[in-house]
Amino acid sequence: MSDEPLTASTGPMVGDDEERQKTDEERLLDEIAEQKDLIDALTGDTCEEIAHRAPQKKLGQLEFKYQLLVEEKRLARVLLKFQELYGDLYTEPCLICLDDIHVHAATDMTEIFYCCGGFVCKSCAGDIKGLDKCPLCRESFAVNSAALYKWQVMTLAKRGVSWAQREAGILMIDGMEGLQKQEKAGLEWLNKAAAQNDPSALHELSSLYREGMASELGKSQEKANELLLKAANLGFANANSELGDCYYRGVNGFEEDDDEAYFRASVAFALDGTDEEAAEILGYFHFDAESIPEPSLYLACHYLNIAASEDSSGDESFNYSIALHKLNQHLHDGYKANGSDATPALLFWLRKSRDLGHENGTRLLKKLESNGQSRCANCSKKVKADEKLKQCSKCRAKWYCSKECQVEAWRAGHKKDCKRAAILKFEDYLNAE
């Protein structure tokens, strides 16, 4: 064995990852500064010249990458603070790769095998997809049926498996999967799971106390909030996002508190990066630009886009469309030109909000469509009383006085705007050519 002392190059040092992360931030900041210098050096003040500045688009992509990197580090710090306040997050190892899983963060963090009650992480679940036997107990996977599922859940629940007790309770209360509706028995199973500190069961009970069950459970906001706080403090993402919403709006017995709302929504998203309610709250804070230290239009679009992906009311699609429009104004100094016009994307999301019955989205859509139909989008010629413009059949967001104007606009860059309009993910939209 060599007697030479270890040097920094012989192995990773504590903080190496952080240093690499800092290097990434510094690199992005340098690139951002270069793009700004390029933009400042450009000449030309017409709408077309300003809107088509390539460095402007590149700047937006770099700024988003940088702010996303900073946000990821902020969320990591928030999660550390949460654990300082409420204790370490409960983890269990994946039974294949042995990586720790925050099993209490969300109900879909693992792939559960109902034959034995074991579970694996989502990554390993993908690797073993297609097997005909359980990788844990080696039992053959039987043909799925409601009867078998019911039997497996009840068997595991009686064995004391908390998630199965929770599931049995929900199934009985709702009368699903072949189980007779039995609210009293369902509550008993939920309470058994809650007694084992199953956060999803606690959260479910919180909802039941808030709404009340006519036959078995009276309404109690105090009890509902007690259970909600307990589930949230155990690290359940959905409970934290609901708590964040309560603080954000000042409802359900919680006083309005922006700091706590931002903290809880951040915890929820750090635990589960698909939590739409948390994403919506974070998007609001970044769009509002007054309630948090470093608001970002990029992050407003990022979060509101995640919320809009599962929109059921039209609110999220409407809010995302407005944020997208505001960001485009920021990137292109308010100018609209073919190839850098967010109007097609704006109308795409407004139509989604209209289709979901959103009144503000419907009104704004009508106004923008009316304005668009009043003059040619290429030559700005006003429409005569008896004249009808030709609508772009792809994005349905631009109108032209002639085929020639339509072709000219298409070649000038409207083709790009059409392509981007229906891109569902914000990052892909921002990076689309």
Side-chain angles (χ1 to χ4, degrees):
M1 181 181 292
S2 172
D3 293 329
E4 293 182 11
L6 292 175
T7 65
S9 62
T10 60
M13 294 179 63
V14 175
D16 270 3
D17 287 342
E18 186 175 347
E19 285 301 314
R20 280 194 291 271
Q21 195 83 325
K22 286 181 180 177
T23 302
D24 287 341
E25 288 181 29
E26 290 170 353
R27 176 181 56 78
L28 283 169
L29 285 173
D30 288 342
E31 290 186 52
I32 288 169
E34 288 176 11
Q35 291 299 314
K36 287 182 176 179
D37 289 342
L38 283 173
I39 291 168
D40 290 341
L42 290 173
T43 59
D45 296 321
T46 68
C47 297
E48 293 288 335
E49 288 170 328
I50 291 174
H52 281 301
R53 290 173 178 173
Q56 204 98 8
K57 178 179 175 63
K58 180 68 173 177
L59 175 64
Q61 295 168 350
L62 290 171
E63 286 182 333
F64 175 61
K65 284 183 181 178
Y66 172 74
Q67 291 181 15
L68 199 57
L69 186 63
V70 172
E71 179 70 354
E72 287 170 356
K73 293 181 71 175
R74 185 191 72 82
L75 291 174
R77 291 195 301 271
V78 166
L79 209 52
L80 286 174
K81 180 182 177 182
F82 177 81
Q83 292 180 87
E84 289 174 4
L85 292 171
Y86 303 109
D88 292 341
L89 294 169
Y90 178 73
T91 63
E92 287 192 33
C94 167
L95 295 176
I96 291 181
C97 69
L98 302 181
D99 284 350
D100 283 338
I101 312 170
H102 292 150
V103 291
H104 282 176
T107 55
D108 60 354
M109 284 290 173
T110 59
E111 183 74 22
I112 294 172
F113 299 104
Y114 288 89
C115 48
C116 59
F119 58 84
V120 297
C121 67
K122 289 294 186 180
S123 176
C124 287
D127 293 339
I128 62 175
K129 190 175 181 180
L131 293 181
D132 57 357
K133 289 185 178 181
C134 173
L136 306 180
C137 69
R138 309 307 297 169
E139 287 288 328
S140 295
F141 288 131
V143 177
N144 289 329
S145 69
L148 177 62
Y149 171 69
K150 176 181 70 174
W151 178 81
Q152 289 174 327
V153 168
M154 293 308 301
T155 298
L156 292 169
K158 290 172 184 176
R159 199 184 295 171
V161 178
S162 64
W163 64 259
Q165 292 174 336
R166 175 196 73 231
E167 199 151 336
I170 294 171
L171 293 176
M172 285 184 174
I173 289 170
D174 294 334
M176 297 189 302
E177 298 293 344
L179 283 170
Q180 184 180 353
K181 188 168 184 176
Q182 305 172 66
E183 292 183 344
K184 184 176 181 180
L187 279 172
E188 289 175 358
W189 281 117
L190 273 180
N191 279 309
K192 286 181 180 180
Q196 296 192 62
N197 278 337
D198 183 285
S200 182
L202 290 164
H203 191 221
E204 187 69 26
L205 282 171
S206 170
S207 299
L208 292 175
Y209 272 105
R210 199 172 305 284
E211 298 299 325
M213 292 172 60
S215 60
E216 298 295 338
L217 197 68
K219 286 187 179 182
S220 172
Q221 183 164 273
E222 182 180 354
K223 185 66 175 177
N225 290 345
E226 176 190 330
L227 291 165
L228 177 62
L229 281 164
K230 188 172 183 180
N233 293 342
L234 283 169
F236 190 49
N238 285 354
N240 276 286
S241 58
E242 182 182 335
L243 197 53
D245 183 61
C246 289
Y247 281 119
Y248 183 75
R249 297 189 293 129
V251 296
N252 294 334
F254 293 93
E255 292 186 5
E256 191 174 323
D257 186 333
D258 283 350
D259 290 339
E260 191 65 17
Y262 190 53
F263 174 70
R264 290 292 180 172
S266 298
V267 168
F269 200 82
L271 290 166
D272 179 6
T274 63
D275 192 306
E276 292 93 1
E277 187 173 21
E280 184 177 15
I281 296 168
L282 293 173
Y284 287 158
F285 275 113
H286 281 283
F287 187 78
D288 182 51
E290 294 181 358
S291 303
I292 56 176
E294 297 180 3
S296 161
L297 272 175
Y298 295 99
L299 292 179
C301 288
H302 170 65
Y303 281 124
L304 291 173
N305 174 246
I306 292 171
S309 65
E310 296 293 334
D311 192 4
S312 60
S313 66
D315 280 343
E316 291 83 359
S317 296
F318 174 76
N319 292 327
Y320 174 56
S321 71
I322 301 303
L324 201 59
H325 177 62
K326 193 171 181 180
L327 176 64
N328 197 68
Q329 288 183 313
H330 161 73
L331 284 174
H332 301 289
D333 299 326
Y335 292 105
K336 295 180 183 179
N338 291 316
S340 60
D341 187 0
T343 303
L346 172 63
L347 266 63
F348 172 83
W349 288 98
L350 285 176
R351 287 184 180 119
K352 285 177 72 73
S353 72
R354 176 203 60 192
D355 293 344
L356 290 166
H358 194 272
E359 292 184 3
N360 288 339
T362 301
R363 280 196 294 269
L364 181 56
L365 177 63
K366 285 182 178 179
K367 179 181 178 181
L368 292 175
E369 286 182 332
S370 177
N371 290 343
Q373 294 168 28
S374 66
R375 64 176 63 234
C376 176
N378 186 59
C379 68
S380 299
K381 174 186 172 183
K382 287 188 177 181
V383 179
K384 296 178 181 178
D386 58 344
E387 189 178 7
K388 188 176 181 180
L389 298 181
K390 300 178 183 295
Q391 185 183 35
C392 175
S393 60
K394 188 174 179 68
C395 67
R396 298 181 294 130
K398 293 292 180 178
W399 289 262
Y400 303 96
C401 64
S402 65
K403 183 70 175 177
E404 290 74 21
C405 268
Q406 189 170 6
V407 171
E408 185 178 330
W410 183 260
R411 290 173 177 171
H414 180 63
K415 177 181 179 180
K416 295 179 180 180
D417 298 330
C418 269
K419 179 182 176 182
R420 286 197 298 265
I423 293 177
L424 298 178
K425 188 177 178 182
F426 170 66
E427 185 173 0
D428 294 340
Y429 170 84
L430 192 64
N431 292 328
E433 296 299 332

